[in-house]
Amino acid sequence: MPMTLEAVRELDRWDPLATFKARFALPDGEIYLDGNSLGAQPLASREAVVSTLDQWRDELIKGWNQGWFDAPERLGNLMAPLIGAGQGEVIVTDNITLNLFKLLGYITESQGRQRPVILSEGGNFPTDGYIAQGLCRFAGYEHRVLPEGAALVDYLDDRVAAVVLSQVHYRTGRLRDMAATTQLVHEHGAEIVWDLAHSAGALPVDLHDCGVRYAVGCTYKYLNGGPGAPAFLYVHRDHQAGGWQPLSGWHGHAAPFAFDGDYAPASGITRFRSGTHSALIYAPLEASLRLWQEVDMAALREKSLKMTELFRDCLADLLEAHGIGDITPPPAERGSQVALIVREHGYAIVQALIARGVIGDYREPGLMRFGFTPLYLSYEDVWQAARHFREVVERREYLAPRFQERAEVT
Amino acid sequence: MPMTLEAVRELDRWDPLATFKARFALPDGEIYLDGNSLGAQPLASREAVVSTLDQWRDELIKGWNQGWFDAPERLGNLMAPLIGAGQGEVIVTDNITLNLFKLLGYITESQGRQRPVILSEGGNFPTDGYIAQGLCRFAGYEHRVLPEGAALVDYLDDRVAAVVLSQVHYRTGRLRDMAATTQLVHEHGAEIVWDLAHSAGALPVDLHDCGVRYAVGCTYKYLNGGPGAPAFLYVHRDHQAGGWQPLSGWHGHAAPFAFDGDYAPASGITRFRSGTHSALIYAPLEASLRLWQEVDMAALREKSLKMTELFRDCLADLLEAHGIGDITPPPAERGSQVALIVREHGYAIVQALIARGVIGDYREPGLMRFGFTPLYLSYEDVWQAARHFREVVERREYLAPRFQERAEVT
């Protein structure tokens, strides 16, 4: 290990984000490097859920007038500063899959359906492509795929209505140039919907600064909103009056309690709401987003990059000696994860690490992912995780039969 | 009041469902007649949520393999016996609005898009019509409206792909003949999607017996799943292999963890899942559905009708004297609510009742709704609620300025 434990502890002593760790409920004896799949639990989130249970019990239907009904907009406004959006430009609702359907439908209608192609990204997290396929099949559009690694410009023409891309890739952790890509797409007369699943809460995001008009993202990864917490949807204020989104439910109506026979979209971001939402799931996320208001995003980015570098440095010689590839992009193009590729035993290595209390995840084919969440990980956690990784590989612990058996992993 | 308090208490002594009331957390000093909007909280639901919070804290990502991922199917199987469906025919997911979109898209694709019309019901709860409008607008179909009170047969022709109707009407509480209506629609070569929002948990429902192929419903009303608890979606087992549903997300994929580039629908009811769901919201609903497994639905129906009759009998002379209309249908055509119509002051009367701890709701224009939930209401509750109603009207309490001010009510 290139750095001593003492030197690493010195980093922790000077870490400006160190106090956040005490505000999370973390399982004993674990080093959790899977916050890019499901974030840890803020202490305040637990209290918020219990308080919402009290509200359900005591207020019953009146609860809807006491913060439940407008939770999508209220939490959207808490999300806004974390992604460089303005007030009234974000709602928290449904999930990424459904929000993509709404935005793609909205964009094509706003364009008068002059362009029949939706372009999504090969090798991206599959639900983005699946919902684009479903939408195209249903609306009679053409689904085009940008192969992984191909140049976007070669796939843009005047038939492309909209492009869906992830700012940070779920496998490699590669960070795209959002400003340049957005400009390129707009120059071709198309729109782009950014998926911020692996960037919101992982690094500073500035949608306005990058000229972004449409984005979605999830809150259960880096933002610690709870398992399957609702997603967010962003539409730039100048692009909110384009038409209908196709999932036109009563909560997106201009006057939901007038019980009109005809749908009329609400003004502003509210038109992107659909049907009735669960009040309960907003409680833990709201508590987490309030904690996030205190976070200095520049400090977060600095710590994130120092942690990923520390992990890589601790393992560089080992990876080379054992033929394990490190496909983590260089710092300027990196999200907040380390991505390692093995020809075999990748699943078993991750299982052997889990048995030691180091939680990463495995994604076919051959990918070991380790997410680094600056709010609740210390530098010492990272160093210890690297030590465990070294021991698992050097001692070939992964060859134990119990680690080779496959179970479904999300 | 035509019945003495003593006689009413005698009814409670012989009520076979009386013990269920102690299994709910009910606010002190309230008589809650709004379980048709939001059901009360089962004690076990509270414990289940806290236990899921523990699971998030302690198991983190592993929770998805410990019951979270398959919750839609598991809870669907708990729903099945309550609505006369079989195992593998129901999932619990998303909300009614989104589930209607899936089913209408699925049905039209299964029919080869030969029929361009979706028929929905005027005067029904508006989200069903709104989502039908959105779907038609997006897919280029025609949205046709069945006016309230019109004969369905006059609106069926060989252009109608699908009909959306509610089994119990949200305003009047009128119960449709599901078997005869389903048969009529099928005879015209169309499909029908039943909305069971006001019937599931309110009365015995037998989808198989009525020949129903498609249905949706909500779980936060009579089924007590919590505010905005996820909806259910039913597809008869013989009609589950028809094609894609348009909201094709990764949880509805045949192999969600293979991360294939192309969407392929899962077999069976799972194809009606879409994107990632919140694990937290399944916890209270599962606890409630387990309680429901103990309920004798025939006894539930008997008590429901006796309660609505008791309320109406207690108020008959008063309503007549004050020109308040009782549009509650006769018992055989009744859900589990009483519907009263006033020309003016309806909102204020409901507010004055709420101030006395009797919770009903008001729906424009002029409708006072009172829902009767046999699991946590006693006959004495009903009698006392009627007494309060009588006093509010006879003493003109509703004329107080504080009851006349309007606030948004869900």
Side-chain angles (χ1 to χ4, degrees), chain A residues 63-92:
Chain A
W64 282 106
N65 292 326
Q66 297 170 356
W68 298 351
F69 192 79
D70 57 2
E73 288 84 0
R74 188 175 67 251
L75 273 69
N77 285 336
L78 288 171
M79 269 302 308
L82 304 177
I83 52 175
Q87 299 294 289
E89 292 189 322
V90 186
I91 49 168
V92 171

PDB file of all heavy atoms in Angstrom, chain A residues 63-92:
ATOM      1  N   GLY A  63     -54.016  15.246   5.848  1.00  0.00           N
ATOM      2  CA  GLY A  63     -52.593  15.264   5.532  1.00  0.00           C
ATOM      3  C   GLY A  63     -52.293  15.770   4.125  1.00  0.00           C
ATOM      4  O   GLY A  63     -51.256  16.400   3.895  1.00  0.00           O
ATOM      5  N   TRP A  64     -53.204  15.510   3.205  1.00  0.00           N
ATOM      6  CA  TRP A  64     -52.969  15.948   1.820  1.00  0.00           C
ATOM      7  C   TRP A  64     -52.880  17.465   1.704  1.00  0.00           C
ATOM      8  O   TRP A  64     -52.268  17.981   0.773  1.00  0.00           O
ATOM      9  CB  TRP A  64     -54.045  15.397   0.881  1.00  0.00           C
ATOM     10  CG  TRP A  64     -53.815  13.954   0.546  1.00  0.00           C
ATOM     11  CD1 TRP A  64     -54.500  12.873   1.012  1.00  0.00           C
ATOM     12  CD2 TRP A  64     -52.798  13.420  -0.317  1.00  0.00           C
ATOM     13  NE1 TRP A  64     -53.971  11.712   0.492  1.00  0.00           N
ATOM     14  CE2 TRP A  64     -52.937  12.014  -0.330  1.00  0.00           C
ATOM     15  CE3 TRP A  64     -51.778  13.995  -1.094  1.00  0.00           C
ATOM     16  CZ2 TRP A  64     -52.094  11.176  -1.075  1.00  0.00           C
ATOM     17  CZ3 TRP A  64     -50.936  13.163  -1.834  1.00  0.00           C
ATOM     18  CH2 TRP A  64     -51.104  11.774  -1.820  1.00  0.00           C
ATOM     19  N   ASN A  65     -53.502  18.161   2.652  1.00  0.00           N
ATOM     20  CA  ASN A  65     -53.388  19.627   2.648  1.00  0.00           C
ATOM     21  C   ASN A  65     -52.263  20.118   3.549  1.00  0.00           C
ATOM     22  O   ASN A  65     -52.113  21.311   3.764  1.00  0.00           O
ATOM     23  CB  ASN A  65     -54.706  20.258   3.107  1.00  0.00           C
ATOM     24  CG  ASN A  65     -55.804  20.045   2.092  1.00  0.00           C
ATOM     25  OD1 ASN A  65     -55.532  20.025   0.897  1.00  0.00           O
ATOM     26  ND2 ASN A  65     -57.018  19.854   2.554  1.00  0.00           N
ATOM     27  N   GLN A  66     -51.515  19.204   4.121  1.00  0.00           N
ATOM     28  CA  GLN A  66     -50.461  19.574   5.070  1.00  0.00           C
ATOM     29  C   GLN A  66     -49.093  19.149   4.552  1.00  0.00           C
ATOM     30  O   GLN A  66     -48.275  18.616   5.291  1.00  0.00           O
ATOM     31  CB  GLN A  66     -50.761  18.931   6.433  1.00  0.00           C
ATOM     32  CG  GLN A  66     -52.066  19.451   7.034  1.00  0.00           C
ATOM     33  CD  GLN A  66     -52.508  18.659   8.253  1.00  0.00           C
ATOM     34  OE1 GLN A  66     -51.872  17.674   8.617  1.00  0.00           O
ATOM     35  NE2 GLN A  66     -53.590  19.071   8.887  1.00  0.00           N
ATOM     36  N   GLY A  67     -48.894  19.351   3.269  1.00  0.00           N
ATOM     37  CA  GLY A  67     -47.568  19.090   2.724  1.00  0.00           C
ATOM     38  C   GLY A  67     -47.465  17.890   1.808  1.00  0.00           C
ATOM     39  O   GLY A  67     -46.485  17.770   1.068  1.00  0.00           O
ATOM     40  N   TRP A  68     -48.445  16.997   1.830  1.00  0.00           N
ATOM     41  CA  TRP A  68     -48.329  15.828   0.959  1.00  0.00           C
ATOM     42  C   TRP A  68     -48.558  16.198  -0.505  1.00  0.00           C
ATOM     43  O   TRP A  68     -47.834  15.745  -1.383  1.00  0.00           O
ATOM     44  CB  TRP A  68     -49.339  14.732   1.353  1.00  0.00           C
ATOM     45  CG  TRP A  68     -49.164  14.170   2.721  1.00  0.00           C
ATOM     46  CD1 TRP A  68     -48.114  14.394   3.586  1.00  0.00           C
ATOM     47  CD2 TRP A  68     -50.071  13.293   3.400  1.00  0.00           C
ATOM     48  NE1 TRP A  68     -48.323  13.701   4.747  1.00  0.00           N
ATOM     49  CE2 TRP A  68     -49.517  13.013   4.668  1.00  0.00           C
ATOM     50  CE3 TRP A  68     -51.300  12.707   3.070  1.00  0.00           C
ATOM     51  CZ2 TRP A  68     -50.149  12.179   5.586  1.00  0.00           C
ATOM     52  CZ3 TRP A  68     -51.922  11.879   3.987  1.00  0.00           C
ATOM     53  CH2 TRP A  68     -51.351  11.616   5.232  1.00  0.00           C
ATOM     54  N   PHE A  69     -49.600  16.991  -0.741  1.00  0.00           N
ATOM     55  CA  PHE A  69     -49.990  17.211  -2.137  1.00  0.00           C
ATOM     56  C   PHE A  69     -48.917  17.956  -2.930  1.00  0.00           C
ATOM     57  O   PHE A  69     -48.666  17.633  -4.091  1.00  0.00           O
ATOM     58  CB  PHE A  69     -51.335  17.954  -2.229  1.00  0.00           C
ATOM     59  CG  PHE A  69     -51.887  17.947  -3.619  1.00  0.00           C
ATOM     60  CD1 PHE A  69     -52.531  16.823  -4.110  1.00  0.00           C
ATOM     61  CD2 PHE A  69     -51.714  19.027  -4.467  1.00  0.00           C
ATOM     62  CE1 PHE A  69     -53.015  16.781  -5.407  1.00  0.00           C
ATOM     63  CE2 PHE A  69     -52.192  19.000  -5.771  1.00  0.00           C
ATOM     64  CZ  PHE A  69     -52.845  17.874  -6.244  1.00  0.00           C
ATOM     65  N   ASP A  70     -48.290  18.940  -2.306  1.00  0.00           N
ATOM     66  CA  ASP A  70     -47.309  19.744  -3.054  1.00  0.00           C
ATOM     67  C   ASP A  70     -45.872  19.267  -2.858  1.00  0.00           C
ATOM     68  O   ASP A  70     -44.924  19.981  -3.216  1.00  0.00           O
ATOM     69  CB  ASP A  70     -47.463  21.232  -2.731  1.00  0.00           C
ATOM     70  CG  ASP A  70     -47.319  21.507  -1.235  1.00  0.00           C
ATOM     71  OD1 ASP A  70     -47.064  20.544  -0.475  1.00  0.00           O
ATOM     72  OD2 ASP A  70     -47.454  22.675  -0.829  1.00  0.00           O
ATOM     73  N   ALA A  71     -45.704  18.079  -2.330  1.00  0.00           N
ATOM     74  CA  ALA A  71     -44.348  17.540  -2.137  1.00  0.00           C
ATOM     75  C   ALA A  71     -43.534  17.481  -3.432  1.00  0.00           C
ATOM     76  O   ALA A  71     -42.337  17.793  -3.416  1.00  0.00           O
ATOM     77  CB  ALA A  71     -44.408  16.166  -1.467  1.00  0.00           C
ATOM     78  N   PRO A  72     -44.119  17.108  -4.570  1.00  0.00           N
ATOM     79  CA  PRO A  72     -43.303  17.053  -5.793  1.00  0.00           C
ATOM     80  C   PRO A  72     -42.639  18.390  -6.123  1.00  0.00           C
ATOM     81  O   PRO A  72     -41.461  18.431  -6.490  1.00  0.00           O
ATOM     82  CB  PRO A  72     -44.319  16.637  -6.868  1.00  0.00           C
ATOM     83  CG  PRO A  72     -45.325  15.815  -6.114  1.00  0.00           C
ATOM     84  CD  PRO A  72     -45.470  16.525  -4.783  1.00  0.00           C
ATOM     85  N   GLU A  73     -43.377  19.491  -5.988  1.00  0.00           N
ATOM     86  CA  GLU A  73     -42.802  20.806  -6.284  1.00  0.00           C
ATOM     87  C   GLU A  73     -41.854  21.252  -5.155  1.00  0.00           C
ATOM     88  O   GLU A  73     -40.805  21.833  -5.420  1.00  0.00           O
ATOM     89  CB  GLU A  73     -43.905  21.859  -6.460  1.00  0.00           C
ATOM     90  CG  GLU A  73     -44.705  21.716  -7.755  1.00  0.00           C
ATOM     91  CD  GLU A  73     -45.849  20.719  -7.656  1.00  0.00           C
ATOM     92  OE1 GLU A  73     -46.043  20.118  -6.569  1.00  0.00           O
ATOM     93  OE2 GLU A  73     -46.552  20.522  -8.660  1.00  0.00           O
ATOM     94  N   ARG A  74     -42.255  21.006  -3.907  1.00  0.00           N
ATOM     95  CA  ARG A  74     -41.417  21.463  -2.786  1.00  0.00           C
ATOM     96  C   ARG A  74     -40.044  20.778  -2.821  1.00  0.00           C
ATOM     97  O   ARG A  74     -39.012  21.414  -2.675  1.00  0.00           O
ATOM     98  CB  ARG A  74     -42.128  21.194  -1.463  1.00  0.00           C
ATOM     99  CG  ARG A  74     -41.429  21.795  -0.258  1.00  0.00           C
ATOM    100  CD  ARG A  74     -42.231  21.622   1.026  1.00  0.00           C
ATOM    101  NE  ARG A  74     -42.338  20.229   1.428  1.00  0.00           N
ATOM    102  CZ  ARG A  74     -43.432  19.492   1.371  1.00  0.00           C
ATOM    103  NH1 ARG A  74     -44.557  20.010   0.934  1.00  0.00           N
ATOM    104  NH2 ARG A  74     -43.431  18.220   1.761  1.00  0.00           N
ATOM    105  N   LEU A  75     -40.057  19.474  -3.034  1.00  0.00           N
ATOM    106  CA  LEU A  75     -38.781  18.765  -3.091  1.00  0.00           C
ATOM    107  C   LEU A  75     -38.017  19.098  -4.367  1.00  0.00           C
ATOM    108  O   LEU A  75     -36.784  19.101  -4.371  1.00  0.00           O
ATOM    109  CB  LEU A  75     -38.984  17.253  -2.949  1.00  0.00           C
ATOM    110  CG  LEU A  75     -39.008  16.747  -1.500  1.00  0.00           C
ATOM    111  CD1 LEU A  75     -40.257  17.206  -0.761  1.00  0.00           C
ATOM    112  CD2 LEU A  75     -38.871  15.237  -1.440  1.00  0.00           C
ATOM    113  N   GLY A  76     -38.751  19.388  -5.431  1.00  0.00           N
ATOM    114  CA  GLY A  76     -38.090  19.837  -6.662  1.00  0.00           C
ATOM    115  C   GLY A  76     -37.291  21.106  -6.410  1.00  0.00           C
ATOM    116  O   GLY A  76     -36.156  21.255  -6.892  1.00  0.00           O
ATOM    117  N   ASN A  77     -37.867  22.006  -5.641  1.00  0.00           N
ATOM    118  CA  ASN A  77     -37.152  23.252  -5.335  1.00  0.00           C
ATOM    119  C   ASN A  77     -35.938  23.014  -4.430  1.00  0.00           C
ATOM    120  O   ASN A  77     -34.984  23.796  -4.473  1.00  0.00           O
ATOM    121  CB  ASN A  77     -38.118  24.271  -4.724  1.00  0.00           C
ATOM    122  CG  ASN A  77     -39.029  24.882  -5.781  1.00  0.00           C
ATOM    123  OD1 ASN A  77     -38.688  24.911  -6.969  1.00  0.00           O
ATOM    124  ND2 ASN A  77     -40.189  25.355  -5.364  1.00  0.00           N
ATOM    125  N   LEU A  78     -35.989  21.966  -3.632  1.00  0.00           N
ATOM    126  CA  LEU A  78     -34.798  21.605  -2.839  1.00  0.00           C
ATOM    127  C   LEU A  78     -33.726  20.958  -3.717  1.00  0.00           C
ATOM    128  O   LEU A  78     -32.526  21.096  -3.470  1.00  0.00           O
ATOM    129  CB  LEU A  78     -35.175  20.638  -1.703  1.00  0.00           C
ATOM    130  CG  LEU A  78     -35.957  21.224  -0.526  1.00  0.00           C
ATOM    131  CD1 LEU A  78     -36.439  20.107   0.400  1.00  0.00           C
ATOM    132  CD2 LEU A  78     -35.091  22.213   0.257  1.00  0.00           C
ATOM    133  N   MET A  79     -34.170  20.240  -4.743  1.00  0.00           N
ATOM    134  CA  MET A  79     -33.229  19.612  -5.685  1.00  0.00           C
ATOM    135  C   MET A  79     -32.509  20.665  -6.520  1.00  0.00           C
ATOM    136  O   MET A  79     -31.325  20.508  -6.870  1.00  0.00           O
ATOM    137  CB  MET A  79     -33.987  18.710  -6.674  1.00  0.00           C
ATOM    138  CG  MET A  79     -34.172  17.270  -6.322  1.00  0.00           C
ATOM    139  SD  MET A  79     -32.635  16.381  -6.042  1.00  0.00           S
ATOM    140  CE  MET A  79     -31.696  16.749  -7.522  1.00  0.00           C
ATOM    141  N   ALA A  80     -33.230  21.718  -6.882  1.00  0.00           N
ATOM    142  CA  ALA A  80     -32.753  22.674  -7.889  1.00  0.00           C
ATOM    143  C   ALA A  80     -31.318  23.158  -7.660  1.00  0.00           C
ATOM    144  O   ALA A  80     -30.481  23.076  -8.572  1.00  0.00           O
ATOM    145  CB  ALA A  80     -33.734  23.845  -7.997  1.00  0.00           C
ATOM    146  N   PRO A  81     -30.981  23.652  -6.452  1.00  0.00           N
ATOM    147  CA  PRO A  81     -29.611  24.161  -6.286  1.00  0.00           C
ATOM    148  C   PRO A  81     -28.538  23.073  -6.426  1.00  0.00           C
ATOM    149  O   PRO A  81     -27.379  23.398  -6.717  1.00  0.00           O
ATOM    150  CB  PRO A  81     -29.614  24.759  -4.868  1.00  0.00           C
ATOM    151  CG  PRO A  81     -30.814  24.190  -4.185  1.00  0.00           C
ATOM    152  CD  PRO A  81     -31.815  23.892  -5.251  1.00  0.00           C
ATOM    153  N   LEU A  82     -28.906  21.820  -6.259  1.00  0.00           N
ATOM    154  CA  LEU A  82     -27.915  20.733  -6.359  1.00  0.00           C
ATOM    155  C   LEU A  82     -27.559  20.417  -7.801  1.00  0.00           C
ATOM    156  O   LEU A  82     -26.566  19.736  -8.070  1.00  0.00           O
ATOM    157  CB  LEU A  82     -28.447  19.461  -5.684  1.00  0.00           C
ATOM    158  CG  LEU A  82     -28.862  19.599  -4.224  1.00  0.00           C
ATOM    159  CD1 LEU A  82     -29.428  18.281  -3.707  1.00  0.00           C
ATOM    160  CD2 LEU A  82     -27.654  20.020  -3.378  1.00  0.00           C
ATOM    161  N   ILE A  83     -28.403  20.884  -8.737  1.00  0.00           N
ATOM    162  CA  ILE A  83     -28.152  20.566 -10.144  1.00  0.00           C
ATOM    163  C   ILE A  83     -28.115  21.828 -11.015  1.00  0.00           C
ATOM    164  O   ILE A  83     -28.205  21.732 -12.235  1.00  0.00           O
ATOM    165  CB  ILE A  83     -29.203  19.558 -10.689  1.00  0.00           C
ATOM    166  CG1 ILE A  83     -30.637  20.057 -10.408  1.00  0.00           C
ATOM    167  CG2 ILE A  83     -28.991  18.176 -10.079  1.00  0.00           C
ATOM    168  CD1 ILE A  83     -31.730  19.187 -11.019  1.00  0.00           C
ATOM    169  N   GLY A  84     -27.998  22.966 -10.379  1.00  0.00           N
ATOM    170  CA  GLY A  84     -27.874  24.207 -11.152  1.00  0.00           C
ATOM    171  C   GLY A  84     -29.145  24.587 -11.880  1.00  0.00           C
ATOM    172  O   GLY A  84     -29.105  25.120 -12.992  1.00  0.00           O
ATOM    173  N   ALA A  85     -30.283  24.300 -11.261  1.00  0.00           N
ATOM    174  CA  ALA A  85     -31.576  24.656 -11.842  1.00  0.00           C
ATOM    175  C   ALA A  85     -32.206  25.748 -10.998  1.00  0.00           C
ATOM    176  O   ALA A  85     -31.787  25.992  -9.871  1.00  0.00           O
ATOM    177  CB  ALA A  85     -32.488  23.435 -11.884  1.00  0.00           C
ATOM    178  N   GLY A  86     -33.228  26.394 -11.558  1.00  0.00           N
ATOM    179  CA  GLY A  86     -33.918  27.442 -10.814  1.00  0.00           C
ATOM    180  C   GLY A  86     -35.157  26.907 -10.113  1.00  0.00           C
ATOM    181  O   GLY A  86     -35.595  25.774 -10.342  1.00  0.00           O
ATOM    182  N   GLN A  87     -35.735  27.739  -9.242  1.00  0.00           N
ATOM    183  CA  GLN A  87     -36.987  27.382  -8.582  1.00  0.00           C
ATOM    184  C   GLN A  87     -38.086  27.250  -9.642  1.00  0.00           C
ATOM    185  O   GLN A  87     -38.130  28.009 -10.607  1.00  0.00           O
ATOM    186  CB  GLN A  87     -37.358  28.457  -7.553  1.00  0.00           C
ATOM    187  CG  GLN A  87     -36.317  28.609  -6.458  1.00  0.00           C
ATOM    188  CD  GLN A  87     -36.218  27.377  -5.568  1.00  0.00           C
ATOM    189  OE1 GLN A  87     -37.109  27.095  -4.793  1.00  0.00           O
ATOM    190  NE2 GLN A  87     -35.140  26.618  -5.706  1.00  0.00           N
ATOM    191  N   GLY A  88     -38.939  26.258  -9.471  1.00  0.00           N
ATOM    192  CA  GLY A  88     -40.016  26.041 -10.435  1.00  0.00           C
ATOM    193  C   GLY A  88     -39.579  25.310 -11.692  1.00  0.00           C
ATOM    194  O   GLY A  88     -40.333  25.238 -12.659  1.00  0.00           O
ATOM    195  N   GLU A  89     -38.386  24.774 -11.682  1.00  0.00           N
ATOM    196  CA  GLU A  89     -37.917  24.041 -12.866  1.00  0.00           C
ATOM    197  C   GLU A  89     -37.782  22.534 -12.620  1.00  0.00           C
ATOM    198  O   GLU A  89     -37.441  21.785 -13.538  1.00  0.00           O
ATOM    199  CB  GLU A  89     -36.563  24.592 -13.331  1.00  0.00           C
ATOM    200  CG  GLU A  89     -36.661  26.014 -13.878  1.00  0.00           C
ATOM    201  CD  GLU A  89     -35.373  26.482 -14.526  1.00  0.00           C
ATOM    202  OE1 GLU A  89     -34.276  26.147 -14.002  1.00  0.00           O
ATOM    203  OE2 GLU A  89     -35.441  27.184 -15.545  1.00  0.00           O
ATOM    204  N   VAL A  90     -37.997  22.107 -11.397  1.00  0.00           N
ATOM    205  CA  VAL A  90     -37.777  20.696 -11.061  1.00  0.00           C
ATOM    206  C   VAL A  90     -38.983  20.182 -10.270  1.00  0.00           C
ATOM    207  O   VAL A  90     -39.517  20.884  -9.408  1.00  0.00           O
ATOM    208  CB  VAL A  90     -36.501  20.530 -10.191  1.00  0.00           C
ATOM    209  CG1 VAL A  90     -36.195  19.050  -9.966  1.00  0.00           C
ATOM    210  CG2 VAL A  90     -35.306  21.232 -10.823  1.00  0.00           C
ATOM    211  N   ILE A  91     -39.429  18.971 -10.577  1.00  0.00           N
ATOM    212  CA  ILE A  91     -40.335  18.260  -9.666  1.00  0.00           C
ATOM    213  C   ILE A  91     -39.732  16.902  -9.348  1.00  0.00           C
ATOM    214  O   ILE A  91     -38.948  16.345 -10.115  1.00  0.00           O
ATOM    215  CB  ILE A  91     -41.764  18.025 -10.203  1.00  0.00           C
ATOM    216  CG1 ILE A  91     -41.737  17.433 -11.606  1.00  0.00           C
ATOM    217  CG2 ILE A  91     -42.610  19.262 -10.096  1.00  0.00           C
ATOM    218  CD1 ILE A  91     -43.102  16.924 -12.036  1.00  0.00           C
ATOM    219  N   VAL A  92     -40.143  16.394  -8.194  1.00  0.00           N
ATOM    220  CA  VAL A  92     -39.733  15.058  -7.765  1.00  0.00           C
ATOM    221  C   VAL A  92     -40.975  14.178  -7.868  1.00  0.00           C
ATOM    222  O   VAL A  92     -41.982  14.427  -7.191  1.00  0.00           O
ATOM    223  CB  VAL A  92     -39.194  15.102  -6.324  1.00  0.00           C
ATOM    224  CG1 VAL A  92     -38.969  13.691  -5.797  1.00  0.00           C
ATOM    225  CG2 VAL A  92     -37.893  15.901  -6.274  1.00  0.00           C
TER     226      VAL A  92
END
